[in-house]
């Protein structure tokens, strides 16, 4: 089973004042299942994980409603205010939906790099563990030390790093990103998504610029803890490198290059199926 472990849907009418801005023409419109299903059929993708893109409970409700109506959506990563006094009750209620598989605070937008590591989160994380929910970590490189501390604090929590923590490919900076990712990869509860890399570099970037980052991910996480995702429709911002099919083909080539004798199918479905506890 092939799984796209990371994509989005949105209605602009519900996003007033939020990203994306009108200047991002390729993604400044509504995106829904009718736009996406032809790509899945073309590329032989059997199911997907739909991920929140607003820190808003109504957005999570919208995604869960879509998941009820479209069987290809195997799981939803939602949002909840994890530091709210009522967070455990909110999480318990969300977890009653069979397709709610994980929660994602939008950490990359927070000024406090250590927001994630502190006792204020404990009631919410306890509720997530009790409901067998995973944690999507949307972080940037400066936030990785805080994520390391958080992951050590909760070794029983399944954590996946979205978009490989958005390394600074545009300026070809490997450190301290690589060292922090090495620390995270030593923790067995931490996984990583092979997604979102093309949109971290300008159009003039050559393909060789991506290779040190991809090689690092395969070396650190292996094929047993990497999950392939498209990050569609955000991926449309990088069509100068290739569309949906192009990103999939590039990642298949990376897998051939860096994981010659390992279980490549796991990267493109098996790991997502296991990590998110997806249903057939």
């Amino acid at each position: 089973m092939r799984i796209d472990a990371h994509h989005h849907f949105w209605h602009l009418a519900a996003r007033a004042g939020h990203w994306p801005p009108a200047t991002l023409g390729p993604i400044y419109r509504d995106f829904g299942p009718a736009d996406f299903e032809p790509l899945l059929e073309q590329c032989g993708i059997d199911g997907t994980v739909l991920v929140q893109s607003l820190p808003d409970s109504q957005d999570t409700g919208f995604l869960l409603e879509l998941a009820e109506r479209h069987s290809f959506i195997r799981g939803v990563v939602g949002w909840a205010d994890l530091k709210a006094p009522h967070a455990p009750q909110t999480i318990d209620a969300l977890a009653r939906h069979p397709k709610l598989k994980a929660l994602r605070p939008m950490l990359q937008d927070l000024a406090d790099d250590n927001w994630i590591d502190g006792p204020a989160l404990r009631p919410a994380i306890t509720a997530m563990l009790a409901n067998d929910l995973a944690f999507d970590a949307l972080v940037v490189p400066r936030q990785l030390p805080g994520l390391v501390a958080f992951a050590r604090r909760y070794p029983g929590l399944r954590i996946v790093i979205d978009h490989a923590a958005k390394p600074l490919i545009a300026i070809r900076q490997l450190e301290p990103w690589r060292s922090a990712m090495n620390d995270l990869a030593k923790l067995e509860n931490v996984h990583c998504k092979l997604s979102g890399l093309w949109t971290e570099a300008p159009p003039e970037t050559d393909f060789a610029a991506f290779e040190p980052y991809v090689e690092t991910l395969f070396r650190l996480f292996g094929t047993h803890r990497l999950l392939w995702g498209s990050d569609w429709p955000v991926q449309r911002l990088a069509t100068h490198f290739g569309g949906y099919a192009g990103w999939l083909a590039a990642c298949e080539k990376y897998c051939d290059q860096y994981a010659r004798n390992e279980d490549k199918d796991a990267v493109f479905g098996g790991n997502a199926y296991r990590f998110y506890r997806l249903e057939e």
Side-chain angles (χ1 to χ4, degrees):
M1 177 178 293
R2 302 199 107 192
I3 299 291
D4 181 341
H6 197 107
H7 75 96
H8 309 286
F9 291 141
W10 58 63
H11 286 158
L12 287 181
R15 306 177 70 87
H18 292 277
W19 190 90
T23 52
L24 295 179
I27 61 173
Y28 190 69
R29 67 170 179 83
D30 294 348
F31 287 97
D35 303 293
F36 198 40
E37 287 185 281
L39 296 175
L40 301 180
E41 183 175 353
Q42 173 192 348
C43 294
I45 304 298
D46 302 297
T48 71
V49 177
L50 177 58
V51 181
Q52 64 82 227
S53 56
L54 275 182
D56 181 275
S57 59
Q58 291 184 340
D59 178 63
T60 297
F62 162 67
L63 302 183
L64 290 171
E65 289 175 6
L66 288 177
E68 289 176 355
R69 301 200 305 268
H70 299 276
S71 59
F72 73 84
I73 302 173
R74 304 301 176 95
V76 169
V77 178
W79 177 89
D81 184 349
L82 299 184
K83 289 190 176 180
H86 57 273
Q89 291 78 17
T90 299
I91 292 167
D92 289 343
L94 284 171
R96 294 190 190 106
H97 195 294
K99 287 193 175 180
L100 194 283
K101 304 297 182 181
L103 294 175
R104 181 172 91 147
M106 303 191 78
L107 301 172
Q108 69 172 10
D109 297 327
L110 301 179
D112 181 2
D113 292 351
N114 294 309
W115 183 94
I116 195 173
D117 182 41
L121 278 182
R122 184 170 294 280
I125 302 304
T126 299
M128 289 181 66
L129 288 166
N131 287 288
D132 198 26
L133 296 178
F135 186 100
D136 267 55
L138 177 62
V139 293
V140 292
R142 62 180 170 79
Q143 297 169 318
L144 288 176
L147 182 59
V148 171
F150 173 77
R152 287 172 176 163
R153 186 186 295 267
Y154 300 105
L157 180 67
R158 287 172 287 123
I159 299 169
V160 63
I161 307 165
D162 290 350
H163 315 320
K166 298 191 172 184
L168 302 179
I169 299 170
I171 59 173
R172 306 199 182 200
Q173 181 176 308
L174 275 168
E175 294 294 348
W177 170 82
R178 182 165 53 187
S179 294
M181 293 294 280
N182 180 63
D183 291 339
L184 284 160
K186 292 176 181 177
L187 307 173
E188 287 298 319
N189 59 320
V190 178
H191 296 61
C192 185
K193 287 186 183 178
L194 181 58
S195 63
L197 296 182
W198 276 357
T199 50
E200 295 305 309
E204 62 272 16
T205 306
D206 59 79
F207 277 95
F210 298 96
E211 292 184 0
Y213 302 92
V214 177
E215 186 277 333
T216 295
L217 296 180
F218 275 96
R219 176 171 50 81
L220 294 181
F221 292 94
T223 59
H224 62 294
R225 284 191 290 152
L226 277 180
L227 289 66
W228 178 79
S230 68
D231 197 27
W232 187 93
V234 182
Q235 191 268 342
R236 288 168 54 92
L237 295 173
T239 51
H240 45 274
F241 293 124
Y244 187 96
W247 171 244
L248 174 60
C251 290
E252 290 173 330
K253 289 180 180 179
Y254 288 140
C255 216
D256 288 338
Q257 182 175 355
Y258 298 117
R260 295 181 181 85
N261 299 315
E262 299 180 55
D263 183 6
K264 301 169 190 175
D265 290 340
V267 175
F268 299 97
N271 294 337
Y273 187 87
R274 182 182 69 257
F275 179 85
Y276 284 117
R277 311 285 201 258
L278 301 182
E279 299 174 2
E280 292 286 355

